[in-house]
Amino acid sequence: MLFRSWKEWFSVCASTINPPRNDHPTLPGCKGIWTVYHKNTRIHLGESSRMADEEDEYHAYLIISLEARTMVLQTANNLEEVTENVDYYVQGTTLAAGNLFGRRRVIQVFAHGARILDGAFMTQELSFKAPNVESGSSSDTSIVASVSIADPYVLLRMTNGSLQLLVGDPSSCSVSLTVPSVFESSKKSISACTLYHDKGPEPWLRKTSTDAWLSSGMGEAIDGADGVTQDQGDVYCVVCYENGTLEIFDVPNFTCVFSVDKFISGRTYLVDTFMQDSVNGLHAHSKNTEDVIRPGQKENSKDVKINVVELMMHRWIGKHSRPFLFGILADGTILSYHAYVFEGSENSSKVEGSVSSQNSISLSSTNASRLRNLRFLRVPVDNYAREEMPSGTQLQRMNVYKNIGGSQGIFLTGSRPSWFMVFRERLRIHPQLCDGPIVAFTVLHNVNCNHGLIYVTALGTLKICQLPSFLSYDNYWPVQKIPLKGTPHQVAYFAEKNVYSVIVSVPVLKPLNQVLSTIADQEVGQQFDPDNINYEGSYPIEEFEVRIVEPEKSGGPWKTRASIPMQSSENALTVRMVTLLNTTTRENETLLAVGTAYVQGEDVAARGRVLLFSIDRTADNSRTLVSEVYSKELKGAIPALASLQGHLLIASGPKIILHKWTGSELNGVAFCDYPPLHAVSLNIVKNFILLGDIHKSISFVSWKEPQLSLLAKDFSPLDCLATEFLIDGSTLSLVVSDDQKNVQIFYYAPKVSESWKGQKLLSRAEFHVGSRITKFLRLQLLPTTSERTATTPGSDKTNRFATVFGTLEGSLGCIAPLDELTFRRLQSLQKKLVTAVTHVAGLNPRSFRQFRSNGKAHRPGPDNIVDCELLSHYEMLPLEEQLEIAQQIGTTRMQIMSNLNDMILGTSFL
């Protein structure tokens, strides 16, 4: 199967919805966009349309908030501005907009007030003021900082850290402004808050407040206090204070049902503080190890001022779905938690019972309303979306969507926009690498864009898009499977014509008598009695071909533009696009080169062919023309070939031969009696050649006209599978993988005495991957945030390449160079994490990554590789442990997080 990158497909989709033109709508200074519904917009439609599901209801208006004004557009068919014809607040910036009362009304919230609208007409207007503020005082404290809407409630967080609540009355479709009593006298400043609507006939959080589900089952509804089954959803308010404490209140009573101290620490589990205190009261010695702060940590944790700047809690539709809790810290860290019901043991139930009996009646009633079986488990999140928030920034990054192309999740805006998609209660994070930073996002569903989206880039460009339906997002990368009806062996991409050349083998049933006659021809001199064999039936034979396939922009099945069949018993071993200098015309030609081998048994001398094809298109680009320009049979199989400074380098049997191209012939100009046995790979950088042998490790060869010279080689026996160059500025390294699932990195140093006057390649690093690597791909590292402004083109910082590899198990990985200071810092961190992190099954990652020689003599190489899989556990540690480890290795937490972030940004190829 083949796949294309997420970046490419999303760009295709965007340009499909918006035809290429130079008059894209620009919205400089855009602060946010929202789409809202209006029930009355469906009166003119047919009866069948009015009875449709809510998911099929079209949006009525698009609200665009700019720096000094607000635009309103109608979204019935096309986007048509109606700002002058509606009663929306358009004289300033809008902070939030949404629907209330079952989509019968629209609420628009701005800095000093809010408006309730019935379609285009205003039905109510409110003005906000801060609590406990006299009329003569300044009104700056009453400015709204953030808004959260959960029908029929609207939660307002003011710039002074206080909360106000808009309570809706469904009968009159009006709202009233109140201040929850629990916050009226509170002096604690609130840094972030959100509303969570636990929808459905069986609200999930109710199951965590009682043990009834243990006997009745999770799927049954829980009866209310009056004996009537409660089938309406519940609303909760999630609040995080400046001191890091997180609390969940029920709405509208605002009784605290769940609280956590030090939410910003990012502990693995979140447990209700009330339940922890109850257990710790009887068992003082049993403390959560994550809550213990060592003497060296306490001072450091106080020095680090990190607040939660945004909260989000949501439960998406799905079988056995559970709520997710997200929090974004000021330093860009994203905390993600998944709720679950805690199945308490009998001992814990007895402890809780004894505590309740000892406490007062009021405490018992409080305990009954707590969500005492609610727990949260932290979920790892890709560090790519990490973005430090500037002080004073009020922009909300998280945007919940319920149906965009059939997917649901959260879209994160900012300089590193990302999709957090939810599949089977699992987060799939897909960075959006096209179009750069995104400042605003919303969903759109109308006649011309079904379940699509709108976003505005940092340059002010508004784009209307749909997610490609042919991609599968329930993977580490969005993937499209291309049916080939055969087994692919190797792929080469021709960028100029946008076509792929694929070696494919297909099993073909052939008559048994034909197969046996072929075997009889090969077994000359052997005892073979054809009279005693039944010739009836058929036998499958693998036949090889090279297909030229072209991707479809619409996402349909790829079209096979041409097929190059191989001869009988001929296997295609390698395919590459090569650039050759035509010595006759003195022009470069890009050709498709194919190397083959005839498989005819051990008693037949190995032979192979070199094939060259030209690929062109017709004048109208309707057809792809493939024509053979050269074919020659050589002694030995042709397992690898490459272009070297306009020449064609061919590995044929136990030697490599360099040819020049005359336009009609390949003429040999140089050769080298390497590899010793059989080449498996050829890699070229400038005039240097890396050659991998099937049993005799690697050789380093240079081309200097008129000869090929062996510079150095690895004298240890090694069964190579794949090779590639690793470039770090002016430093060149040689990477090789073997059949024992190892990776070794060598370097050429003729001035070092250990290299035997330059004849021997020296080991730079070695690493046990755990999978057999069969292909390396060299890609240039992407610039990080610091490198975009601190480097100049052509410097060593920009001339850095990583090698992406694929394994037989189907996994992908990456090897990238690090500068010396970063490596030493991360290596010290890695040594600490070996003992600081709880490993799966207690396995030791340090011993697992040691080189495996399978009993062969091997001299251990230097430990110069850090394991990013282990380093990724650092950000999942509690904040106190992160600070302690950073202090122990002589650095800071922010420095470590910056290094990890740069690695992820530099290798975010897909």
Side-chain angles (χ1 to χ4, degrees), residues 299-318:
E299 184 177 357
N300 291 338
S301 61
K302 287 185 177 180
D303 294 340
V304 180
K305 300 296 182 182
I306 302 177
N307 295 326
V308 178
V309 296
E310 189 173 356
L311 280 175
M312 180 69 69
M313 188 171 178
H314 194 80
R315 179 167 69 98
W316 285 272
I317 299 174

Side-chain angles (χ1 to χ4, degrees), residues 578-594:
V578 295
T579 301
L580 304 181
L581 175 63
N582 190 325
T583 57
T584 303
T585 62
R586 309 304 300 175
E587 294 180 354
N588 287 330
E589 297 181 8
T590 302
L591 302 174
L592 174 66
V594 181

Side-chain angles (χ1 to χ4, degrees), residues 4 9 12-13 16 467-472 479-483 550-559:
R4 296 178 72 187
W9 275 127
V12 170
C13 174
T16 301
L467 282 181
S469 59
F470 50 83
L471 288 176
S472 172
V479 174
Q480 179 190 11
K481 292 185 177 180
I482 309 301
E550 182 179 8
E552 280 290 315
K553 292 184 178 180
S554 61
W558 291 15
K559 293 184 179 179

